[in-house]
Amino acid sequence: MAEVDKACCSLPAVTTHDYKLNGTYNKLAGLDVYTTGPPHSTRALIAVYDVFGFAPQTLQGADLLSHSLDALVLMPDFFEGKPLPLSLYPPDTDEKKKTAGKFMQGTASIDANVGKLGEVVKEAKVKYETVKGWGCYGLCWGGKMAVLRSGAGTEFKAAGTAHPGRLAKEDAENLTIPFICLFSKEDGTPELMKEYWEVLEKSKENVVEKYGSMHHGWMGARANLEDKENLKEFERGYTHLASFFAKHL
């Protein structure tokens, strides 16, 4: 595993309830975009949420990274205000499975949204001219988006994911920039995780680590910040991302 940059910026304290946002909402490529951090920063991140959309924990993560990196962070609302309801998790009934499947094939179509991500980046690069280093990170569904935009011709200098979804060995093989991957204990099958890990660790620029006590979603909408262990690993995960992007952007 490649080492992260030792000079990591400090993370502010995480709020466990009634979180008050630091950012505002703007428009890019026809989408509402949560925008946090200095608009004239020299580095920026595109944050891609999980299927549950603008959850307080996910937005707080964007604020944490912005503060730590003194960076602009943009989180587009690809689902246009209609994410998958958290109440559908776990999909343990036929009706829940049907609803989730329809959402993943329609609103959350990877092919359609990867194109939208490209449009957001294109407009953002025009609007925020001072940015010299663009990066991207995604959670679960968003991690798939991030890795697919990190191959040949990418707009980004570095990218990454936490508790990645839809793992595919070829995605890791196609990377052309430094990439950080923070696994939970349950991201896909053990075989897929092993394949993905082994490809990533071939480059010393990549960072890959398993948060073995954490459930899938511990840094996104399914984070339980009232739980001491989840809170600790939530903070460690975002510190991990901040250190990586501080080094590469």
Side-chain angles (χ1 to χ4, degrees):
M1 180 184 73
E3 291 293 326
V4 296
D5 184 54
K6 299 298 183 184
C8 181
C9 305
S10 62
L11 214 67
V14 173
T15 299
T16 58
H17 63 278
D18 297 328
Y19 181 66
K20 294 182 180 179
L21 299 176
N22 294 340
T24 58
Y25 292 90
N26 297 290
K27 286 279 188 181
L28 280 173
L31 299 176
D32 289 327
V33 178
Y34 180 68
T35 305
T36 183
H40 302 296
S41 178
T42 58
R43 54 190 176 191
L45 287 170
I46 304 292
V48 190
Y49 53 33
D50 56 31
V51 291
F52 305 112
F54 283 148
Q57 306 95 311
T58 306
L59 293 169
Q60 183 169 185
D63 284 344
L64 294 172
L65 286 174
S66 173
H67 181 277
S68 298
L69 295 165
D70 193 29
L72 175 69
V73 180
L74 306 173
M75 186 180 293
D77 186 13
F78 294 102
F79 306 149
E80 300 186 45
K82 297 179 180 179
L84 193 69
L86 193 55
S87 60
L88 288 178
Y89 189 89
D92 52 7
T93 68
D94 289 342
E95 186 61 31
K96 285 183 178 181
K97 290 175 182 177
K98 181 179 178 181
T99 301
K102 183 177 179 181
F103 177 83
M104 296 306 295
Q105 293 171 18
T107 302
S109 163
I110 293 292
D111 290 342
N113 285 290
V114 164
K116 288 183 185 179
L117 175 55
E119 293 170 11
V120 169
V121 177
K122 183 178 179 180
E123 288 197 15
K125 292 180 77 172
V126 173
K127 183 172 183 178
Y128 301 104
E129 297 179 313
T130 60
V131 176
K132 305 300 181 186
W134 286 92
C136 180
Y137 75 94
L139 308 175
C140 186
W141 177 85
K144 183 72 170 184
M145 297 269 283
V147 74
L148 290 176
R149 296 287 320 181
S150 299
T154 182
E155 310 93 337
F156 304 123
K157 285 189 173 181
T161 182
H163 42 86
R166 300 192 180 189
L167 293 175
K169 179 181 178 182
E170 58 267 28
D171 293 344
E173 291 173 335
N174 290 335
L175 288 166
T176 59
I177 56 175
F179 195 82
I180 181 170
C181 180
L182 306 181
F183 282 117
S184 76
K185 63 183 178 182
E186 53 189 0
D187 303 319
T189 66
E191 293 77 17
L192 276 175
M193 290 173 67
K194 182 174 184 291
E195 286 182 350
Y196 209 81
W197 185 304
E198 289 176 347
V199 173
L200 289 177
E201 69 178 359
K202 289 179 181 179
S203 170
K204 63 182 180 181
E205 293 297 314
N206 295 334
V207 173
V208 56
E209 183 168 326
K210 184 175 182 179
Y211 283 59
S213 66
M214 286 294 97
H215 61 276
H216 181 81
W218 94 92
M219 286 174 63
R222 293 184 59 221
N224 177 9
L225 300 182
E226 300 292 340
D227 178 83
K228 290 183 179 180
E229 181 67 12
N230 195 157
L231 174 61
K232 180 182 69 121
E233 295 297 75
F234 182 92
E235 291 175 331
R236 185 165 76 94
Y238 279 102
T239 299
H240 216 154
L241 290 180
S243 180
F244 174 80
F245 285 116
K247 179 179 179 181
H248 292 290
L249 297 186

